[in-house]
Amino acid sequence: MPVMSIISCKIMQDEIVWILENDSSVDEVIVVENENIREFSGKLNKVNLQHKVLPLENIPLLSERNNESDENNESDKISESDKYTVLIYLMELGLHKNPKELKNKVYKTVESLTPFSSGILVFYGLCGNVLGNIEKDFEVNSFPCPVRILKDRKNRIVDDCIGATVGGTDNYLRLLKSVGDAGTYLFTPMYSKGWRELIELDKLHKDPSKALKMMKKTHEIIGYKRVAKINTGLEYTENFDNAIREFAELFDFEILEFNNGNQEIFEDCYGKMKVEIQNIESVN
């Protein structure tokens, strides 16, 4: 039975829930246990998606799964031919503060998941231009399994999670141009909940009130005046409107709203990886 591993910043957990909820061929979902999964696991439970939460050392190796599959009789193989496992590894938001550290952590995680994976899909974009060569760096002819990253329909790696959410580079550039007259935060539902962790507000200053004052001063200097709500059509993250209003009131920002968020890139890249690992499985 093939295993697709998804390595993702936890900012894109809603898109993963949506994918799993809409793919009836998934036989098993395993979430690697770490400090980033609590909210994600709760969302899976809320939509009644059965899953296992396991430390990496307790997950069966791909070779063990294949040996077990070989012991099945032919009828079992036929009935399970379209089934497979999805393995999820979520990573912390704070890595974005240090692109070099982000790259090192993603690469190490790819390597650590290889023994468990038929293929690895990386739910990241260029992210400061540090992940642009990840597919080349893990070429299938020298690496045990294919590694793929989020790309738009013109085969361009997306800039970041916002670029992925709005459908790729062209749409992202149009969006940025439309708000180019003033500094604007672009918030998806998860961004609205995770912005404090993303900017590591607690590390800026031991006193939260002084940290916020510092942020306000920074906004004035660099010209940030707005927060834009990017509607994705997904409702797994609750109280999106309230979170946006709270952020806007905190910094005296104007609120904009855009309805061009979608799951096109996530669905396309997931579907392509699924076909790729199934083709590899059929050859083997």
Side-chain angles (χ1 to χ4, degrees):
M1 183 184 296
V3 179
M4 183 197 299
S5 291
I6 298 177
I7 299 171
S8 177
C9 175
K10 70 177 187 179
I11 208 78
M12 290 187 279
Q13 61 182 259
D14 288 1
E15 286 74 17
I16 298 174
V17 176
W18 180 84
I19 283 172
L20 296 175
E21 192 176 21
N22 287 278
D23 187 356
S24 61
S25 69
V26 177
D27 184 62
E28 178 184 41
V29 176
I30 300 175
V31 180
V32 179
E33 186 176 35
N34 62 30
E35 66 276 10
N36 303 306
I37 67 166
R38 180 178 177 182
E39 186 176 11
F40 178 66
S41 183
K43 289 174 181 178
L44 293 177
N45 288 329
K46 189 171 182 179
V47 296
N48 297 316
L49 275 171
Q50 294 186 354
H51 62 285
K52 300 175 183 177
V53 176
L54 298 172
L56 195 60
E57 60 268 22
N58 290 353
I59 297 173
L61 298 173
L62 186 65
S63 58
E64 295 172 353
R65 291 175 178 273
N66 290 337
N67 289 336
E68 182 179 348
S69 178
D70 290 341
E71 295 173 359
N72 293 336
N73 59 45
E74 194 64 29
S75 62
D76 286 339
K77 289 182 180 180
I78 293 173
S79 64
E80 293 295 319
S81 61
D82 293 327
K83 297 288 185 178
Y84 73 108
T85 294
V86 177
L87 177 68
I88 310 296
Y89 191 107
L90 292 186
M91 300 177 69
E92 60 269 30
L93 303 183
L95 288 172
H96 288 277
K97 294 294 291 182
N98 187 328
K100 184 177 179 180
E101 182 182 356
L102 170 63
K103 178 181 179 179
N104 289 339
K105 184 67 180 292
V106 170
Y107 274 49
K108 287 180 181 178
T109 305
V110 168
E111 292 169 351
S112 69
L113 292 186
T114 300
F116 309 92
S117 310
S118 305
I120 299 174
L121 179 57
V122 179
F123 265 40
Y124 278 92
L126 293 172
C127 296
N129 293 319
V130 297
L131 295 176
N133 292 322
I134 192 168
E135 293 188 3
K136 293 180 181 178
D137 291 339
F138 293 105
E139 287 284 3
V140 69
N141 60 353
S142 60
F143 198 70
C145 68
V147 178
R148 303 289 177 254
I149 192 168
L150 294 176
K151 295 180 179 179
D152 63 21
R153 291 188 173 178
K154 292 183 178 180
N155 205 39
R156 298 171 297 190
I157 299 175
V158 299
D159 289 276
D160 51 32
C161 58
I162 300 296
T165 299
V166 299
T169 302
D170 293 339
N171 290 340
Y172 195 18
L173 289 175
R174 281 192 288 269
L175 175 60
L176 292 174
K177 185 177 180 180
S178 72
V179 297
D181 59 316
T184 305
Y185 282 95
L186 304 175
F187 276 9
T188 60
M190 274 302 300
Y191 253 117
S192 74
K193 292 296 185 67
W195 66 270
R196 291 176 184 269
E197 180 181 349
L198 184 66
I199 64 174
E200 297 181 312
L201 186 63
D202 58 330
K203 296 182 181 180
L204 292 175
H205 203 288
K206 293 181 180 180
D207 184 336
S209 63
K210 289 184 178 179
L212 287 173
K213 185 177 180 180
M214 185 191 311
M215 276 194 67
K216 291 178 181 179
K217 188 64 177 178
T218 301
H219 290 153
E220 292 176 8
I221 294 172
I222 61 180
Y224 268 74
K225 298 180 179 180
R226 299 181 301 214
V227 56
K229 176 185 177 186
I230 310 297
N231 290 313
T232 65
L234 304 180
E235 298 181 353
Y236 304 114
T237 298
E238 298 178 347
N239 301 317
F240 187 19
D241 287 334
N242 291 340
I244 290 286
R245 281 196 296 269
E246 179 185 11
F247 183 83
E249 291 172 2
L250 191 61
F251 296 108
D252 194 25
F253 280 178
E254 176 190 358
I255 298 175
L256 303 180
E257 187 166 355
F258 296 94
N259 294 314
N260 49 355
N262 61 76
Q263 286 70 59
E264 177 184 291
I265 283 179
F266 304 100
E267 184 178 26
D268 284 353
C269 294
Y270 173 82
K272 288 176 181 177
M273 175 57 89
K274 181 178 177 181
V275 170
E276 186 170 3
I277 65 174
Q278 288 174 336
N279 288 340
I280 292 172
E281 186 79 6
S282 65
V283 171
N284 295 336

Coordinates of all heavy atoms in Angstrom, one line a residue, residues 16-74:
I16 N -5.3 20.8 4.1 CA -5.1 19.4 4.2 C -6.3 18.7 4.7 O -6.7 17.6 4.2 CB -3.9 19.1 5.2 CG1 -2.6 19.7 4.7 CG2 -3.7 17.6 5.4 CD1 -1.4 19.6 5.6
V17 N -7.0 19.3 5.7 CA -8.3 18.7 6.1 C -9.3 18.6 5.0 O -9.9 17.6 4.8 CB -8.9 19.6 7.3 CG1 -10.3 19.0 7.7 CG2 -8.0 19.6 8.5
W18 N -9.4 19.7 4.2 CA -10.3 19.7 3.0 C -9.9 18.5 2.0 O -10.8 17.8 1.5 CB -10.2 21.0 2.3 CG -11.1 21.1 1.1 CD1 -12.4 21.4 1.1 CD2 -10.8 20.9 -0.2 NE1 -12.9 21.4 -0.2 CE2 -11.9 21.1 -1.0 CE3 -9.6 20.5 -0.9 CZ2 -12.0 20.9 -2.4 CZ3 -9.6 20.4 -2.3 CH2 -10.8 20.6 -3.0
I19 N -8.6 18.4 1.7 CA -8.2 17.3 0.8 C -8.6 15.9 1.4 O -9.2 15.1 0.6 CB -6.7 17.4 0.6 CG1 -6.3 18.5 -0.4 CG2 -6.1 16.0 0.1 CD1 -4.9 18.8 -0.5
L20 N -8.3 15.7 2.6 CA -8.6 14.4 3.2 C -10.1 14.1 3.3 O -10.6 13.0 3.0 CB -8.0 14.3 4.6 CG -6.5 14.4 4.7 CD1 -6.0 14.4 6.2 CD2 -5.8 13.2 4.0
E21 N -10.9 15.2 3.6 CA -12.3 15.0 3.7 C -12.9 14.7 2.3 O -14.0 14.1 2.2 CB -12.9 16.3 4.2 CG -14.4 16.1 4.6 CD -15.0 17.3 5.3 OE1 -14.4 18.5 5.1 OE2 -16.0 17.2 6.0
N22 N -12.3 15.1 1.2 CA -12.8 15.0 -0.1 C -12.2 13.9 -0.9 O -12.4 13.8 -2.1 CB -12.7 16.3 -0.9 CG -13.7 17.3 -0.4 OD1 -14.9 17.3 -0.8 ND2 -13.3 18.2 0.5
D23 N -11.3 13.0 -0.3 CA -10.7 11.9 -1.0 C -11.1 10.6 -0.3 O -10.5 10.2 0.7 CB -9.2 12.1 -1.0 CG -8.5 11.0 -1.9 OD1 -9.2 10.1 -2.4 OD2 -7.3 11.1 -2.0
S24 N -12.1 9.9 -0.9 CA -12.6 8.7 -0.3 C -11.7 7.5 -0.4 O -11.9 6.5 0.2 CB -14.0 8.4 -0.9 OG -13.9 8.2 -2.3
S25 N -10.6 7.7 -1.2 CA -9.7 6.6 -1.5 C -8.6 6.4 -0.4 O -7.9 5.5 -0.4 CB -9.1 6.7 -2.9 OG -8.2 7.7 -2.9
V26 N -8.6 7.4 0.5 CA -7.6 7.3 1.6 C -8.0 6.3 2.6 O -9.1 6.3 3.1 CB -7.4 8.7 2.3 CG1 -6.5 8.6 3.5 CG2 -7.0 9.8 1.3
D27 N -7.1 5.3 2.7 CA -7.5 4.2 3.6 C -7.1 4.5 5.1 O -7.7 4.0 6.0 CB -6.7 2.9 3.1 CG -7.1 1.7 4.0 OD1 -8.3 1.3 4.0 OD2 -6.2 1.1 4.6
E28 N -6.0 5.3 5.2 CA -5.5 5.5 6.6 C -4.8 6.9 6.6 O -4.1 7.3 5.7 CB -4.4 4.4 6.9 CG -3.8 4.6 8.2 CD -2.7 3.5 8.4 OE1 -1.9 3.2 7.4 OE2 -2.6 3.0 9.5
V29 N -5.1 7.6 7.7 CA -4.4 8.9 7.9 C -3.6 8.8 9.2 O -4.1 8.4 10.3 CB -5.4 10.0 8.1 CG1 -4.8 11.3 8.4 CG2 -6.3 10.2 6.8
I30 N -2.3 9.1 9.1 CA -1.4 9.1 10.2 C -0.9 10.5 10.4 O -0.3 11.1 9.5 CB -0.3 8.1 10.1 CG1 -0.8 6.7 9.9 CG2 0.7 8.2 11.3 CD1 0.3 5.7 9.6
V31 N -1.0 11.1 11.6 CA -0.4 12.4 11.9 C 0.8 12.2 12.8 O 0.7 11.5 13.9 CB -1.4 13.3 12.6 CG1 -0.9 14.6 12.9 CG2 -2.7 13.4 11.8
V32 N 2.0 12.7 12.4 CA 3.2 12.5 13.2 C 3.0 13.4 14.5 O 2.8 14.6 14.4 CB 4.4 12.9 12.4 CG1 5.7 12.8 13.3 CG2 4.6 12.0 11.2
E33 N 3.2 12.8 15.6 CA 3.1 13.5 16.9 C 4.2 14.6 17.1 O 5.3 14.3 17.0 CB 3.1 12.5 18.0 CG 2.7 13.1 19.4 CD 2.7 12.1 20.4 OE1 3.4 11.1 20.4 OE2 1.8 12.2 21.4
N34 N 3.7 15.8 17.3 CA 4.7 16.9 17.7 C 3.9 18.0 18.3 O 2.6 17.9 18.4 CB 5.6 17.3 16.5 CG 4.8 17.9 15.4 OD1 3.7 18.5 15.5 ND2 5.3 17.8 14.2
E35 N 4.5 19.1 18.6 CA 3.8 20.2 19.3 C 2.9 21.0 18.4 O 2.2 22.0 18.9 CB 4.9 21.2 19.9 CG 5.8 21.9 18.9 CD 7.0 21.1 18.4 OE1 7.0 19.9 18.7 OE2 7.8 21.7 17.8
N36 N 2.9 20.7 17.1 CA 2.1 21.6 16.1 C 0.8 21.0 15.7 O 0.1 21.6 14.9 CB 3.0 21.8 14.9 CG 4.3 22.4 15.1 OD1 4.4 23.4 15.8 ND2 5.4 21.7 14.7
I37 N 0.4 19.9 16.3 CA -0.8 19.1 15.7 C -2.1 19.2 16.5 O -3.1 18.7 16.0 CB -0.4 17.6 15.5 CG1 -0.3 17.0 16.9 CG2 0.8 17.5 14.7 CD1 -0.3 15.5 16.9
R38 N -2.1 19.9 17.6 CA -3.2 19.8 18.5 C -4.5 20.4 17.8 O -5.5 19.7 17.7 CB -3.0 20.6 19.7 CG -4.2 20.7 20.7 CD -3.8 21.5 22.0 NE -5.0 21.5 22.9 CZ -4.9 22.2 24.0 NH1 -3.8 22.8 24.4 NH2 -6.0 22.3 24.8
E39 N -4.4 21.5 17.2 CA -5.5 22.1 16.5 C -5.9 21.3 15.3 O -7.1 21.1 15.0 CB -5.2 23.6 16.1 CG -6.4 24.3 15.5 CD -6.0 25.8 15.2 OE1 -4.8 26.1 15.3 OE2 -6.9 26.6 14.9
F40 N -4.9 20.8 14.5 CA -5.2 20.0 13.3 C -5.9 18.8 13.7 O -6.9 18.4 13.0 CB -3.9 19.7 12.6 CG -4.0 18.9 11.4 CD1 -4.6 19.3 10.3 CD2 -3.4 17.6 11.4 CE1 -4.7 18.5 9.2 CE2 -3.5 16.8 10.3 CZ -4.2 17.2 9.2
S41 N -5.5 18.0 14.7 CA -6.1 16.8 15.1 C -7.6 17.1 15.5 O -8.5 16.3 15.2 CB -5.3 16.2 16.2 OG -5.9 14.9 16.6
G42 N -7.8 18.2 16.2 CA -9.1 18.6 16.6 C -10.0 18.8 15.4 O -11.2 18.4 15.4
K43 N -9.5 19.4 14.4 CA -10.3 19.6 13.2 C -10.7 18.3 12.5 O -11.8 18.2 11.9 CB -9.6 20.6 12.2 CG -9.5 22.0 12.7 CD -8.6 22.9 11.8 CE -8.5 24.3 12.4 NZ -7.7 25.2 11.6
L44 N -9.7 17.4 12.4 CA -10.0 16.1 11.9 C -11.1 15.4 12.6 O -12.0 14.8 12.0 CB -8.7 15.2 11.8 CG -7.6 15.7 10.9 CD1 -6.4 14.7 11.1 CD2 -8.0 15.7 9.5
N45 N -11.1 15.5 13.9 CA -12.1 14.9 14.8 C -13.5 15.5 14.5 O -14.5 14.9 14.5 CB -11.7 15.0 16.3 CG -10.6 14.1 16.7 OD1 -10.5 13.0 16.1 ND2 -9.8 14.5 17.6
K46 N -13.4 16.9 14.3 CA -14.7 17.6 14.2 C -15.4 17.2 12.9 O -16.7 17.2 12.9 CB -14.4 19.1 14.2 CG -15.7 19.9 14.2 CD -15.3 21.4 14.4 CE -16.6 22.2 14.5 NZ -16.3 23.7 14.8
V47 N -14.7 16.8 11.8 CA -15.3 16.4 10.6 C -15.3 14.9 10.5 O -15.6 14.3 9.4 CB -14.6 17.0 9.4 CG1 -14.7 18.5 9.4 CG2 -13.2 16.6 9.3
N48 N -15.1 14.2 11.6 CA -15.2 12.7 11.7 C -14.2 12.0 10.8 O -14.6 11.0 10.2 CB -16.6 12.3 11.4 CG -17.6 12.8 12.5 OD1 -17.3 12.8 13.7 ND2 -18.8 13.3 12.0
L49 N -13.0 12.6 10.7 CA -12.0 11.9 9.9 C -11.1 11.1 10.9 O -10.4 11.7 11.7 CB -11.1 12.9 9.1 CG -11.6 13.4 7.8 CD1 -10.8 14.5 7.3 CD2 -11.6 12.2 6.8
Q50 N -11.2 9.8 10.8 CA -10.4 8.9 11.6 C -8.9 9.0 11.3 O -8.6 9.1 10.1 CB -10.9 7.5 11.5 CG -12.3 7.2 12.0 CD -12.6 5.7 12.0 OE1 -11.9 4.9 11.5 NE2 -13.8 5.4 12.6
H51 N -8.1 9.1 12.3 CA -6.7 9.2 12.1 C -5.9 8.7 13.3 O -6.5 8.6 14.4 CB -6.3 10.7 11.8 CG -6.6 11.6 13.0 ND1 -7.9 12.0 13.3 CD2 -5.8 12.2 13.9 CE1 -7.8 12.8 14.4 NE2 -6.6 12.9 14.7
K52 N -4.7 8.4 13.1 CA -3.8 7.9 14.2 C -2.8 9.0 14.4 O -2.3 9.6 13.5 CB -3.1 6.6 13.8 CG -4.0 5.5 13.5 CD -3.2 4.3 13.1 CE -4.1 3.1 12.7 NZ -3.3 2.0 12.2
V53 N -2.5 9.3 15.7 CA -1.4 10.2 16.1 C -0.3 9.4 16.7 O -0.5 8.7 17.7 CB -1.9 11.3 17.1 CG1 -0.7 12.1 17.5 CG2 -3.0 12.1 16.5
L54 N 0.8 9.3 16.0 CA 1.9 8.5 16.4 C 3.3 9.2 16.3 O 3.5 10.0 15.4 CB 2.0 7.3 15.4 CG 0.8 6.3 15.4 CD1 1.0 5.3 14.2 CD2 0.6 5.6 16.7
P55 N 4.1 8.9 17.3 CA 5.5 9.4 17.1 C 6.2 8.7 15.9 O 5.8 7.6 15.6 CB 6.2 9.0 18.4 CG 5.4 7.9 19.0 CD 4.0 8.1 18.5
L56 N 7.1 9.3 15.3 CA 7.7 8.8 14.1 C 8.3 7.4 14.3 O 8.1 6.6 13.4 CB 8.8 9.8 13.6 CG 9.2 9.6 12.1 CD1 8.1 9.7 11.1 CD2 10.4 10.5 11.8
E57 N 8.9 7.2 15.4 CA 9.5 5.9 15.6 C 8.5 4.7 15.7 O 8.9 3.5 15.6 CB 10.4 5.9 16.9 CG 9.6 6.2 18.2 CD 9.6 7.7 18.5 OE1 9.8 8.5 17.6 OE2 9.4 8.1 19.7
N58 N 7.2 5.0 15.9 CA 6.2 4.0 16.0 C 5.4 3.7 14.7 O 4.5 2.9 14.6 CB 5.2 4.3 17.1 CG 5.8 4.2 18.5 OD1 6.9 3.8 18.6 ND2 5.0 4.6 19.5
I59 N 5.8 4.5 13.6 CA 5.1 4.3 12.3 C 5.8 3.2 11.5 O 7.1 3.2 11.5 CB 5.2 5.7 11.6 CG1 4.4 6.7 12.4 CG2 4.6 5.5 10.2 CD1 4.5 8.1 11.8
P60 N 5.0 2.3 10.9 CA 5.7 1.3 10.1 C 6.5 1.8 9.0 O 6.0 2.7 8.3 CB 4.4 0.5 9.6 CG 3.3 0.8 10.6 CD 3.6 2.2 11.0
L61 N 7.6 1.2 8.7 CA 8.4 1.6 7.6 C 7.7 1.1 6.3 O 6.9 0.2 6.3 CB 9.8 0.9 7.7 CG 10.7 1.3 8.9 CD1 11.9 0.4 8.9 CD2 11.1 2.8 8.8
L62 N 8.0 1.8 5.2 CA 7.4 1.5 3.9 C 7.8 0.0 3.6 O 6.9 -0.7 3.1 CB 7.9 2.4 2.8 CG 7.2 2.3 1.5 CD1 5.7 2.6 1.6 CD2 7.9 3.1 0.4
S63 N 9.0 -0.4 3.8 CA 9.4 -1.8 3.5 C 8.5 -2.8 4.3 O 8.2 -3.9 3.8 CB 10.9 -2.0 3.8 OG 11.1 -1.7 5.2
E64 N 8.2 -2.5 5.5 CA 7.3 -3.4 6.3 C 5.9 -3.4 5.7 O 5.3 -4.5 5.7 CB 7.3 -2.9 7.8 CG 8.7 -2.9 8.5 CD 8.6 -2.3 9.8 OE1 7.6 -1.7 10.2 OE2 9.6 -2.4 10.6
R65 N 5.4 -2.3 5.3 CA 4.1 -2.3 4.7 C 4.1 -3.1 3.4 O 3.1 -3.8 3.2 CB 3.7 -0.8 4.4 CG 3.4 0.1 5.6 CD 3.1 1.5 5.1 NE 2.8 2.3 6.3 CZ 1.6 2.5 6.8 NH1 0.6 1.8 6.2 NH2 1.4 3.3 7.8
N66 N 5.1 -2.9 2.6 CA 5.2 -3.7 1.3 C 5.3 -5.2 1.6 O 4.7 -6.0 0.9 CB 6.4 -3.2 0.5 CG 6.1 -1.8 0.0 OD1 5.0 -1.3 -0.2 ND2 7.2 -1.1 -0.4
N67 N 6.0 -5.6 2.6 CA 6.1 -7.0 2.9 C 4.8 -7.6 3.4 O 4.4 -8.7 3.0 CB 7.2 -7.2 4.0 CG 8.6 -7.0 3.5 OD1 8.9 -7.1 2.3 ND2 9.5 -6.7 4.4
E68 N 4.1 -6.8 4.2 CA 2.8 -7.2 4.6 C 1.8 -7.3 3.4 O 1.0 -8.2 3.4 CB 2.2 -6.2 5.6 CG 0.9 -6.5 6.2 CD 0.4 -5.5 7.2 OE1 1.2 -4.7 7.7 OE2 -0.8 -5.6 7.6
S69 N 1.9 -6.3 2.5 CA 1.0 -6.4 1.3 C 1.3 -7.6 0.5 O 0.4 -8.2 -0.1 CB 1.2 -5.1 0.5 OG 0.4 -5.1 -0.6
D70 N 2.6 -8.0 0.4 CA 3.0 -9.1 -0.4 C 2.4 -10.4 0.1 O 2.2 -11.4 -0.6 CB 4.5 -9.3 -0.5 CG 5.1 -8.2 -1.4 OD1 4.4 -7.5 -2.1 OD2 6.3 -7.9 -1.2
E71 N 2.1 -10.4 1.4 CA 1.6 -11.6 2.0 C 0.0 -11.8 1.8 O -0.5 -12.8 2.1 CB 1.9 -11.6 3.5 CG 3.4 -11.7 3.8 CD 3.7 -11.5 5.3 OE1 2.7 -11.3 6.0 OE2 4.9 -11.6 5.6
N72 N -0.6 -10.7 1.4 CA -2.0 -10.7 1.1 C -2.3 -11.6 -0.1 O -1.5 -11.7 -1.0 CB -2.6 -9.3 0.8 CG -2.5 -8.5 2.1 OD1 -2.5 -8.9 3.2 ND2 -2.5 -7.1 1.9
N73 N -3.5 -12.2 -0.1 CA -3.9 -12.9 -1.3 C -4.3 -12.0 -2.5 O -4.5 -10.8 -2.3 CB -5.0 -13.9 -1.0 CG -6.3 -13.3 -0.5 OD1 -6.7 -12.3 -1.1 ND2 -6.9 -13.8 0.5
E74 N -4.4 -12.5 -3.7 CA -4.6 -11.7 -4.8 C -5.9 -10.9 -4.7 O -6.0 -9.7 -5.2 CB -4.7 -12.6 -6.1 CG -4.6 -11.8 -7.4 CD -3.2 -11.0 -7.5 OE1 -2.2 -11.5 -7.0 OE2 -3.2 -10.0 -8.2

